[in-house]
């Protein structure tokens, strides 16, 4: 991609620099590719790097800094016509295009080797960008990314103040997606989520007609905050949206934007005034993700980074078309009958009363996981393998996501609850009990 930097203000206004081979160094030193003798620039002030067909500007510590829209940024994705400031000089980035280019074969299908390489590299960039804002919670970030590329939804379970809302907003910014937040309350109605018909009258003809006013569910990333604080009738308004990616109102079906991901939060401490999610609603969530307190080393960093007036821009790594193509690519990853049989064994062993169920399952559970759990296990294993840079799925990939897939699908009986047997402990016992099939 042909690109260049143009100095639009300052002592060197009017100078142009072509960006050819990546990386390109910028600074006041004579050895820099973009050399600007300026007192406000360090000898090596910043780097311009091309990744996935896009250019990024990154300051070089300790003296380098990049200012964009009045804020200091650590990683700036450059769009055509974008202006930013280094030292006393204001720069403009000129290019024909700056977007992710996903290599494709015949019919638009992503080539396997290139698809794995691109998605693995994109995952590293996403983790890096989200990590600039979210301190810790690496397991949570990984599970949300796996759910995104596997086209699943997540139920985030954690106490208030752990950064659930901030995680959704940061992820939406890094993915260049639209996000909305719904605060679930006891008086929330289904139409407040899906939308409603409004009667309009034409001022000239006097004719009246109904127009569907879309609700907040029409977005890419939906944060359903404290979903268990609204009655089941309102909770059920999300069932069709989560499963079918569409909304039916007044007999008409409206497709939701693609991609579509629901991240619902639930407070496990305060249960007064809550309505437990019904089994059908829980089964729509691919993962139940436990968000824990930060570690002793992470908490001081959180306190220091969130009590200053400095804010960081998050660079956009992927856009909606690229995400959709990667989601289709994940679905096309092959799974051997061996791995498929292992996932089926795990799910069947969780059902009390079945011949495959061990004694502790019958002792502790009322109901086990259904077939959708097996589907989620295989999809999660596929996405996990590709994000890790592999095109082959193993039983270890299935085991890695057994807990988030099964923990909300195992319904304990009174004996297990009274004895304090957690769902994760039952999943651990299942993984120890169920062996891989013979080849």
């Amino acid at each position: 991609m042909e690109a260049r930097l143009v100095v639009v203000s300052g002592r060197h206004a009017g100078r142009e620099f072509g960006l050819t081979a990546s990386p390109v160094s910028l600074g006041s030193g004579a050895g820099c590719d973009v050399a600007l003798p300026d007192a406000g620039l360090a000898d090596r002030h910043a780097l311009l790097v091309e990744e996935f067909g896009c250019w990024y500007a990154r300051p070089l510590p300790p003296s380098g800094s990049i200012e964009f829209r009045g804020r200091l940024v650590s990683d700036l994705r450059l769009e055509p016509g974008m202006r930013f400031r280094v030292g006393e000089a204001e720069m403009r980035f000129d290019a024909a295009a700056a977007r992710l280019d996903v290599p494709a074969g015949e019919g638009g299908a992503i080539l396997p080797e290139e698809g794995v390489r691109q998605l693995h590299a994109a995952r590293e960039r996403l983790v890096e960008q989200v990590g600039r804002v979210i301190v810790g919670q690496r397991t949570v970030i990984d599970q949300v990314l796996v759910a995104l590329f596997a086209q699943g939804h997540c139920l985030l379970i954690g106490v208030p103040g752990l950064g659930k809302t901030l995680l959704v907003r940061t992820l939406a910014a890094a993915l260049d997606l639209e996000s909305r937040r719904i605060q679930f309350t006891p008086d929330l109605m289904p139409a407040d989520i899906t939308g409603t018909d409004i009667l309009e009258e034409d001022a000239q003809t006097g004719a009246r007609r109904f127009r569907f006013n879309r609700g907040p569910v029409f977005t890419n990333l939906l944060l359903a905050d404290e979903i268990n604080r609204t009655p089941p009738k309102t909770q059920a308004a999300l069932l069709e949206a989560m499963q079918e990616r569409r909304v039916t109102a007044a007999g008409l079906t409206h497709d939701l934007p693609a991609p579509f991901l629901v991240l619902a939060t639930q407070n496990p401490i305060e249960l007064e005034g809550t309505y437990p999610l019904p089994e059908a609603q829980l089964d729509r969530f691919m993962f139940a993700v436990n968000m824990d307190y930060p570690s002793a080393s992470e908490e001081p960093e959180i306190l220091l980074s969130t009590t200053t007036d400095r804010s960081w821009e998050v660079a956009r790594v992927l856009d909606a078309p690229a995400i959709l193509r990667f989601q289709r690519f994940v679905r096309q990853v092959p799974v051997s009958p061996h791995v498929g049989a292992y996932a089926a064994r795990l799910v069947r062993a969780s059902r009390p009363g079945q011949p495959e169920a061990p004694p502790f399952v019958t002792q502790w559970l009322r109901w086990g996981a259904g077939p959708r759990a097996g589907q989620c296990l295989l999809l999660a294993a596929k996405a996990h393998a590709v994000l890790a840079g592999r095109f082959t799925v193993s039983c270890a990939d299935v085991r890695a996501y057994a807990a988030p897939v099964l923990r909300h699908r195992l319904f304990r009986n009174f004996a297990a609850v009274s004895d304090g047997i957690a769902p994760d402990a039952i999943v651990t016992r299942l993984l120890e009990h169920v062996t891989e099939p013979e080849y």
Side-chain angles (χ1 to χ4, degrees):
M1 177 186 66
E2 295 184 0
R4 61 178 181 169
L5 280 181
V6 180
V7 184
V8 296
S9 68
R11 294 171 49 197
H12 308 282
R15 294 188 62 182
E16 298 184 6
F17 302 89
L19 305 180
T20 54
S22 174
V24 176
S25 58
L26 184 153
S28 59
C32 291
D33 302 307
V34 178
L36 293 174
D38 193 321
L41 293 179
D43 184 59
R44 284 176 55 84
H45 195 88
L47 277 183
L48 288 91
V49 183
E50 185 183 18
E51 294 179 356
F52 314 138
C54 302
W55 282 93
Y56 297 85
R58 296 167 183 165
L60 290 175
S63 304
S65 63
I66 297 175
E67 184 179 333
F68 177 66
R69 294 179 179 175
R71 296 179 177 179
L72 295 178
V73 296
S74 61
D75 198 326
L76 179 63
R77 174 174 168 170
L78 301 177
E79 304 284 355
M82 179 182 287
R83 297 190 179 193
F84 61 95
R85 183 175 293 277
V86 287
E88 300 177 358
E90 185 179 12
M91 316 287 290
R92 185 181 73 242
F93 176 76
D94 288 340
R99 61 182 299 274
L100 178 69
D101 182 21
V102 182
E106 297 181 2
I110 302 177
L111 299 176
E113 299 82 2
E114 284 298 319
V116 171
R117 185 185 67 83
Q118 289 275 12
L119 189 49
H120 174 64
R123 179 252 185 195
E124 295 298 317
R125 293 272 294 127
L126 283 170
V127 171
E128 175 193 358
Q129 292 302 314
V130 175
R132 296 180 184 275
V133 180
I134 304 296
V135 179
Q137 303 293 356
R138 180 61 180 270
T139 301
V140 175
I141 296 172
D142 287 339
Q143 292 180 2
V144 170
L145 290 179
V146 167
L148 170 68
F149 291 107
Q151 303 181 49
H153 309 286
C154 289
L155 178 63
L156 305 178
I157 304 173
V159 299
L162 295 181
K164 296 183 286 290
T165 303
L166 183 61
L167 171 63
V168 175
R169 290 179 178 175
T170 306
L171 187 63
L175 294 172
D176 197 17
L177 298 176
E178 180 187 2
S179 67
R180 292 188 180 182
R181 176 179 179 270
I182 302 176
Q183 180 63 52
F184 281 73
T185 55
D187 59 345
L188 192 71
M189 299 299 292
D192 297 328
I193 300 174
T194 60
T196 185
D197 285 315
I198 298 177
L199 183 63
E200 290 184 338
E201 181 177 347
D202 192 308
Q204 296 180 349
T205 63
R208 295 182 177 182
R209 64 183 181 88
F210 282 100
R211 178 180 62 85
F212 182 66
N213 186 33
R214 295 188 170 190
V217 74
F218 286 87
T219 187
N220 296 122
L221 264 67
L222 177 66
L223 175 61
D225 207 4
E226 294 188 294
I227 189 174
N228 58 331
R229 293 204 175 277
T230 196
K233 177 182 179 180
T234 305
Q235 293 176 8
L238 281 177
L239 286 176
E240 183 184 16
M242 294 174 66
Q243 184 64 27
E244 306 295 336
R245 264 76 175 181
R246 64 184 185 184
V247 168
T248 301
L252 297 178
T253 300
H254 308 270
D255 292 329
L256 295 175
F260 177 69
L261 173 67
V262 175
L263 296 176
T265 68
Q266 186 171 309
N267 184 353
I269 299 178
E270 185 183 0
L271 298 180
E272 295 183 3
T274 62
Y275 302 84
L277 295 179
E279 287 78 0
Q281 181 82 43
L282 285 172
D283 202 36
R284 294 302 194 278
F285 288 102
M286 183 177 193
F287 293 155
V289 180
N290 287 336
M291 294 189 69
D292 205 352
Y293 290 111
S295 64
S297 60
E298 294 168 348
E299 193 149 1
E301 185 178 352
I302 293 174
L303 301 182
L304 293 174
S305 62
T306 57
T307 54
T308 64
D309 61 351
R310 173 176 291 187
S311 59
W312 298 96
E313 294 285 341
V314 177
R316 289 175 289 177
V317 180
L318 295 174
D319 56 11
I323 294 171
L324 292 175
R325 294 181 67 182
F326 279 134
Q327 287 179 339
R328 291 193 295 268
F329 174 69
V330 167
R331 291 262 176 171
Q332 296 166 4
V333 173
V335 174
S336 68
H338 175 78
V339 176
Y342 178 68
R345 280 190 178 189
L346 272 177
V347 174
R348 294 187 62 83
S350 70
R351 300 167 185 168
Q354 295 294 318
E356 299 90 346
F360 64 87
V361 167
T362 304
Q363 179 184 356
W364 289 334
L365 296 182
R366 293 185 293 111
W367 297 98
R372 187 179 281 121
Q375 296 171 346
C376 292
L377 278 175
L378 289 186
L379 286 173
K382 289 183 177 186
H384 175 66
V386 177
L387 288 170
R390 293 180 283 107
F391 196 65
T392 56
V393 181
S394 67
C395 293
D397 296 316
V398 175
R399 286 191 291 269
Y401 283 87
V405 168
L406 296 177
R407 64 165 57 107
H408 60 297
R409 293 182 166 95
L410 304 182
F411 300 98
R412 297 169 295 167
N413 57 24
F414 176 77
V417 174
S418 60
D419 291 342
I421 306 298
D424 282 21
I426 300 176
V427 174
T428 302
R429 290 283 299 272
L430 279 173
L431 293 175
E432 295 173 352
H433 175 82
V434 177
T435 59
E436 297 184 15
E438 296 291 337
Y439 282 98

